[in-house]
Amino acid sequence: QVQLVESGPGLVKPSQTLYLTCTVSGASLTTGVYSWSWIRPPPGKGLEWMGAMHSGGRTDYSPSLMSRTSISRDTTWGQFTLQLSSVTPEDTGVYYCAQYGTTGEGFGSWGQGTQVIISS
């Protein structure tokens, strides 16, 4: 069973950088089968895919967030990290990490989500 757990600060000030870490158990970040995504459902905006880290180390990002988003990983500890810079109150919401099967499976396991509030 694949499990993902998000962690990070619950409160970030405007203009600062948000860092969230997803810890994965039950699967390898370096296999050729899966990619690992960050997703958020900001209030009033619906579900928004932010980006993904693929098993080979390549990253993809949503065009609307590309300039502010970076995803990295620590394969030794089964972790991948979201970096979102220049945050504003509109970035407030619940952030999820999720497993994605690249051979047609689609999204599989999700983390429980972590609430992020952008406020001064």
Side-chain angles (χ1 to χ4, degrees), residues 10 14 16 18 76 78 81 87-88 91 94 97 119:
Q16 293 187 334
L18 169 68
T76 300
T81 297
V87 299
T88 73
D91 293 313
V94 180
C97 55
S119 177

Side-chain angles (χ1 to χ4, degrees), residues 47-105:
L47 192 66
E48 180 178 35
W49 176 82
M50 303 182 70
M53 167 69 74
H54 301 279
S55 61
R58 181 176 60 87
T59 54
D60 287 322
Y61 302 106
S62 169
S64 64
L65 296 171
M66 182 178 300
S67 65
R68 298 195 293 131
T69 305
S70 180
I71 298 174
S72 59
R73 68 183 181 183
D74 185 333
T75 58
T76 300
W77 301 106
Q79 297 177 325
F80 63 104
T81 297
L82 171 71
Q83 178 181 314
L84 183 66
S85 64
S86 303
V87 299
T88 73
E90 292 184 350
D91 293 313
T92 293
V94 180
Y95 287 68
Y96 298 89
C97 55
Q99 178 193 38
Y100 185 86
T102 60
T103 54
E105 301 93 336

Side-chain angles (χ1 to χ4, degrees), residues 54 112 117:
H54 301 279
Q112 81 286 354
I117 297 174

